[in-house]
Structure formats: C-alpha cells, structure tokens
Amino acid sequence: MTGIGNPSVVLIALCAVGLVGCATAPTPSVENMYTYCASHGTEPECGGVRQAAAVIAPEPVAPAPQEVKSQPAKRENTVAVSCPEPVGPQGGQCFTRVLFPAKFDEQKTQEIIRPAYDAVSYTEPVYEDVKEQVVVREAYTREIELPALYDTFYEQVMEKPASKVWKKGRGVSERVDPQTGDIYCLVDQPAVYKTVEKRELKRPAGTRSEQVPAEYATRTVRKLVTPPQEVRTPVPAEYATMTKKTLARGDSCEYVQVLCQDNATQNKIREVEKALQARGQKVQTDGLDDEDLARALRDYQTKQGLPVTGLMTARTLESLGVALEPVQQPSATGSTQ
C-alpha cells in the first residue's frame, strides 16, 4: 500500500465474526464508529445491506469534516470509486477504506494574463488668479424708529402746610400741663415743600427711512485657462508562466486494517500513545480511543506522509513500531472487555 499526498478518508467498519452476531450492537455515533453486523446486516444501523455467510456488510459512517482545498481542475463533489473488499477478514478486525485522490501531471506554459491596451491619462489643468469686485451685501432701505421727545421741568409743591404746635419752653403764649406741671409755649411750624419733576410731550414717537448702500469686497477668483488634455499611452500585453495539470491517474481506494474502539485493549492503546509521545506528539497515556489520540495520530500521519485518517492503521502502527496484534476479540453480544 502506498500513500499519495493526504488522501480523504471515509471510515467503514468491516467485521467478520463467524457465528457471533451483533443483536445488541450500538447505533453508530461519533464515539462508536464501528458496528459488528455479521447477523444484522439488513438493519438500518448496519447500513441496510443483505447479510451473506462469508461477506460482512460494511456500515456507512458519515465522513469526518474535511478542509476544502483548491483542486487543479473542476471535480464533482461525489466521486464513485470501486474499492475491493479486504481478503480473509478475521473476527474482531476493523478496516478503514482510504480514498486516494487523483494524481495530476504539471506542465508550464506562457499565457496572456492581461492583453495590450492604451492607458488613458490627463494633463493637469491650468488656472490663473483674477481679482474682482464682488457684492457682499445688496443696497437696501431700512426703517429707523424714533422715540417720543419730552421737555422736563421741576416745580415746588407744598407737601404740608404751616401750623402751630406746643413745645416745652416759655414764650408769648404759654400753658401749664395740669398732670406734670410742665410749661409749654405755642410756636409756629413752617410749611413743608417737595420738588416734583414734570414732563411735557414735545414730539410724538415715529419712524424714518434710511438708504443703506451696497457693500463690496475684493476677492481672488481662480479661472480655468487650459482644460485637461487626454493622453493615450500604449501598454504591452502581460504574460505569466501558468501551470496546467492533466489527470495522470484517477481516484482509487484501499481497505487497511486498524485498531479501533471495538477491538483494541487499553494496554494496546497505551502502547500506541507512548510510541506517539516518544516521537514528539502531545497525547495522554490514558488508554482511551478519543479525540486526543485521533488528533495526535492525524498530526503524526501528516508528518510521516501517511494516509491521514486519525485512526490506528496498520501502516501507522508499523511506523510507530507497534504490533497490530494481539487485538481484543468481541464477545457474543458484540461488546469489548
């Protein structure tokens, strides 16, 4: 078996267990990708394939998500590839169908990537600065309000008339307070005046019209003297070296034996994990066939140029120095110990 590039992988479990059936085989899932179908090949979880005595029906499993890469030529999403059944499968063995992509021959040719054309450009326009008088504000007539005009004058107004009051002391006219015995005399109290401001209307309020002249300013204006001129410059065609690919060999596939969740013991998986660790892979030695192990296997297979399946294939185990056997045989109910 030879590896070509990084093939796409579709996983199918092929189980040959003789008289041992899979009546209690679990429904395929992400964790359980293999189902023994020796006795129930016509069941939906076994792919719906009619059971035969010596041929075990493969279970269809959804392909793992794959990174879409650019192809050298347009190809259909689904490619039907004939894949021969493995020869002499034994009970408890699991197989993976590995799809190898087509191989292409490359040929370099010179091709035009841009035809010749005329590049169009334009000369810079020519301007000159001209000073001119411009109207900033038009002339107009405005109305001015005139307030009323008054004459102001002042006048003395008597606020309190003159009177006579009794004060302590002696005078021409006197009297004695019968209660206190004090002597009072009658004195004159002059009148009290205050100054009052008075206004007299001289001119009533009104309006008058006033003519406001226009307002001008000197500004510099840019005027076009010479407009832009079109200039055409021939540009030669541009060539590039292109790589053309032609199909040298079509898609192919091959079944390879693998250790899987249903037939590998924890000790065997730990042996694989330790071998991966010895070759620089980061993986836990927990004896579990989980995503952590699958990731390490994919990375190792990529670096070694092996078919990238993420599974413990025979070629991968051989590269790691791990024997494919012994494997754990399935029990009568299709489960592992």
Side-chain angles (χ1 to χ4, degrees):
M1 179 175 64
T2 59
I4 302 174
N6 292 328
S8 302
V9 178
V10 176
L11 304 178
I12 292 184
L14 180 62
C15 312
V17 294
L19 297 178
V20 179
C22 59
T24 60
T27 301
S29 63
V30 177
E31 293 77 13
N32 181 17
M33 300 178 65
Y34 300 88
T35 303
Y36 293 97
C37 304
S39 301
H40 294 76
T42 58
E43 295 297 326
E45 62 268 22
C46 294
V49 180
R50 186 174 59 186
Q51 178 185 357
V55 179
I56 309 304
E59 174 193 358
V61 178
Q66 301 176 19
E67 180 181 358
V68 178
K69 298 182 179 179
S70 59
Q71 298 294 333
K74 183 178 180 180
R75 303 173 61 191
E76 298 296 330
N77 294 331
T78 303
V79 179
V81 180
S82 176
C83 196
E85 299 283 343
V87 180
Q90 302 297 320
Q93 292 180 340
C94 289
F95 295 83
T96 294
R97 187 174 65 176
V98 181
L99 300 181
F100 296 94
K103 183 178 180 182
F104 296 84
D105 291 334
E106 296 183 354
Q107 182 180 4
K108 297 184 181 298
T109 59
Q110 289 288 323
E111 294 189 6
I112 296 177
I113 62 173
R114 191 195 65 213
Y117 66 97
D118 286 342
V120 179
S121 61
Y122 294 89
T123 60
E124 292 293 331
V126 179
Y127 295 89
E128 67 176 359
D129 295 335
V130 178
K131 292 185 177 181
E132 59 182 22
Q133 292 286 325
V134 294
V135 177
V136 177
R137 190 191 65 229
E138 298 286 346
Y140 66 97
T141 301
R142 65 181 178 183
E143 296 291 327
I144 301 176
E145 293 186 358
L146 299 176
L149 183 63
Y150 295 88
D151 283 339
T152 303
F153 61 92
Y154 299 92
E155 184 178 86
Q156 291 291 322
V157 178
M158 184 174 64
E159 186 177 26
K160 185 177 180 181
S163 62
K164 293 180 179 292
V165 296
W166 293 95
K167 289 186 178 183
K168 286 183 178 182
R170 303 188 70 89
V172 178
S173 299
E174 294 180 351
R175 72 180 179 86
V176 178
D177 189 340
Q179 295 179 355
T180 61
D182 293 333
I183 299 174
Y184 290 85
C185 64
L186 189 63
V187 296
D188 292 328
Q189 184 76 27
V192 178
Y193 294 88
K194 65 177 181 179
T195 302
V196 177
E197 179 180 334
K198 290 188 176 182
R199 301 178 65 190
E200 185 177 282
L201 181 63
K202 184 177 181 180
R203 185 193 65 200
T207 60
R208 66 181 178 87
S209 298
E210 181 179 70
Q211 191 69 26
V212 180
E215 185 177 339
Y216 296 88
T218 301
R219 293 183 179 178
T220 301
V221 180
R222 289 177 60 84
K223 291 189 175 181
L224 180 64
V225 177
T226 305
Q229 303 296 318
E230 182 181 284
V231 178
R232 291 183 171 269
T233 304
V235 179
E238 184 177 342
Y239 295 83
T241 301
M242 308 294 290
T243 301
K244 287 189 174 181
K245 295 185 178 182
T246 56
L247 182 65
R249 187 190 62 208
D251 296 317
S252 62
C253 79
E254 178 181 351
Y255 279 100
V256 294
Q257 186 179 352
V258 296
L259 283 174
C260 64
Q261 231 175 358
D262 293 334
N263 69 356
T265 63
Q266 287 191 342
N267 290 337
K268 175 60 69 175
I269 295 177
R270 286 195 185 95
E271 185 181 354
V272 174
E273 290 170 335
K274 290 179 180 179
L276 287 169
Q277 285 183 343
R279 287 159 177 78
Q281 296 298 320
K282 294 181 179 180
V283 61
Q284 297 180 359
T285 56
D286 51 13
L288 299 178
D289 186 8
D290 53 12
E291 180 56 30
D292 179 55
L293 175 60
R295 178 196 52 76
L297 285 169
R298 286 193 295 269
D299 187 54
Y300 177 77
Q301 290 163 345
T302 301
K303 293 179 179 178
Q304 297 299 317
L306 299 172
V308 181
T309 64
L311 300 174
M312 294 173 283
T313 64
R315 288 191 58 192
T316 303
L317 296 184
E318 180 182 358
S319 175
L320 291 170
V322 177
L324 186 64
E325 299 296 342
V327 299
Q328 181 177 346
Q329 299 297 328
S331 66
T333 60
S335 60
T336 59
Q337 298 178 355

